[in-house]
Amino acid sequence: MNTLFDKIWDKHVVQIVPDGPTQLYIDRLYCHEVTSPQAFDGMRARGLKCFRPDHIYCMPDHNTPTHDQDKPIEDPVSAKQVATLAQNAKEFGLTHYGMMDQSNGIIHVVGPEKGLSLPGMTIVCGDSHTSTHGAMGAVAFGIGTSEVEMVMASQCILQQKPKSMRISINGQLGRGVTAKDVALYLMSQLTTSGATGYFVEYAGEVVRNMSMEGRLTLCNLSIEMGARGGFVAPDETTFEYIKGREFAPKGEAWDKAIAYWKTLKSDDDAVFDKELTFNAADIEPRITYGTNPGMGIGITEAIPARIDNAQEQAGFDKSLSYMGFKPGEKLLGKKVDYVFLGACTNGRIEDFRAFASIVKGRQKAADVIAWLVPGSWAVDRQIREEGLDKVLEAAGFQIRQPGCSACLAMNDDKIPAGKLSISTSNRNFEGRQGPGARTILASPLVAAAAAVTGVITDPRELMPGT
């Protein structure tokens, strides 16, 4: 009567500290340039080497510009962080995919697409959106800098075991409804703290029918509900996605891996600490209206008139004031200044296909600035192989170079103060995309509809066959 989480967690327990945390073995550590420097400094100060360097992969993504990557980075802080990661990786003997390396990209996009993130693994990174890798059927979660150092030194980490939650979404998603909309819907229902202390297993008909790209998007946003992480039990969709990838098992090792991976599911009588069920019919294309990802509505709905919780009303009012919106207002038709397609949430090939399906045969709105940023060089190659670049360029869009880009204001791609951005990223906090920037989170379809109309538009009105 074990949950899938129990099975993976228990298999990785080294020891349990009496009245304390669990020492958990970690299969894969990912490092980017922002949270790793202090960890490397700590290792150096103690005269330590990485215990299992072949289990650690490094790449810059947060600070990398999305243009002219073959030239020196102009921002001195970004340049130093990127250079320091390269230097540290070389010193400690770690695999490093630097800028312009054809294996580079956003670390949470590259891990799955290279077959580095596999079912049954424990995966950590000094980044909250490490939960993305849970889509592979792994236990993946973000850790702090001191914990990064701990994993480097011992390939283990000390953690309290989270509680388990299963969220089932049943039925069939409606036209124009994507995994991003499902995630935004769940956040609006649970709030940004509703899954705090839990590891979430996503289940139900909707999840089983999702592509791997969709599952990666869904798991990516688990952290925005307060969850420690989120994951999906591996199935034929997972196996087909992994097969043939660079670091995927081959030959007899593949057959052995598949046999094990097929055991990775919650038992029929498994008991979860909490179970929730939702109906796909209740979900339409969604947008956020506030300054946290849980403040969202269906695209045809109005902003709530007020919040029932008196303690939260002040925050609600402050959020609307920052966004320049009013209680009870509908956002359809609201003028848009920027559109961002990308991030570890929606920077995969399926997201570019969706965006292209809307803009094909149309033109970018003249007063909209659009940044289309692949999550990796591999995604960029596939865009060109499929001819999506021609569709996008004919509609007036340009494809930028891979990186985290406008998801967060740590590189050149910043939204100016006061401007309204429709973004496929994961967070809409005040200043997240730039000081004073206003962010509406949405799916690639909603972003595409805004890009060609210049206003917030229901993408179902522009979908082929409408």
Side-chain angles (χ1 to χ4, degrees), residues 88-164:
N88 284 329
K90 183 177 180 180
E91 179 183 340
F92 285 85
L94 307 179
T95 301
H96 175 258
Y97 299 127
M99 280 173 50
M100 294 304 293
D101 186 310
Q102 290 303 292
S103 291
N104 179 255
I106 303 172
I107 207 160
H108 303 315
V109 174
V110 173
E113 74 183 11
K114 291 186 79 67
L116 285 166
S117 302
L118 297 171
M121 278 187 167
T122 49
I123 300 171
V124 296
C125 175
D127 185 289
S128 59
H129 293 106
T130 307
S131 58
T132 308
H133 305 267
M136 309 306 298
V139 167
F141 52 94
I143 57 176
T145 299
S146 61
E147 294 171 312
V148 171
E149 183 180 343
M150 189 187 303
V151 177
M152 286 179 177
S154 67
Q155 208 59 39
C156 292
I157 194 172
L158 295 176
Q159 288 282 298
Q160 294 285 355
K161 186 177 181 180
K163 295 181 288 185
S164 60

Side-chain angles (χ1 to χ4, degrees), residues 157-189:
I157 194 172
L158 295 176
Q159 288 282 298
Q160 294 285 355
K161 186 177 181 180
K163 295 181 288 185
S164 60
M165 178 190 295
R166 180 162 60 188
I167 296 178
S168 300
I169 309 108
N170 294 317
Q172 298 288 331
L173 293 178
R175 196 160 186 261
V177 180
T178 70
K180 181 64 166 289
D181 301 302
V182 173
L184 291 174
Y185 175 79
L186 293 177
M187 283 185 273
S188 71
Q189 298 300 301

Side-chain angles (χ1 to χ4, degrees), residues 289 295 304-317:
Y289 61 84
M295 300 178 74
R306 59 175 290 104
I307 298 297
D308 293 335
N309 188 321
Q311 292 181 325
E312 296 177 1
Q313 185 65 43
F316 174 79
D317 294 338

Side-chain angles (χ1 to χ4, degrees), residues 7-38:
K7 292 179 181 181
I8 299 175
W9 180 277
D10 293 348
K11 189 177 177 67
H12 289 78
V13 170
V14 177
Q15 64 175 327
I16 299 175
V17 179
D19 300 318
T22 299
Q23 183 184 16
L24 195 71
Y25 180 78
I26 299 301
D27 293 303
R28 188 79 71 217
L29 168 65
Y30 294 124
C31 293
H32 57 61
E33 74 277 23
V34 179
T35 56
S36 65
Q38 297 89 338

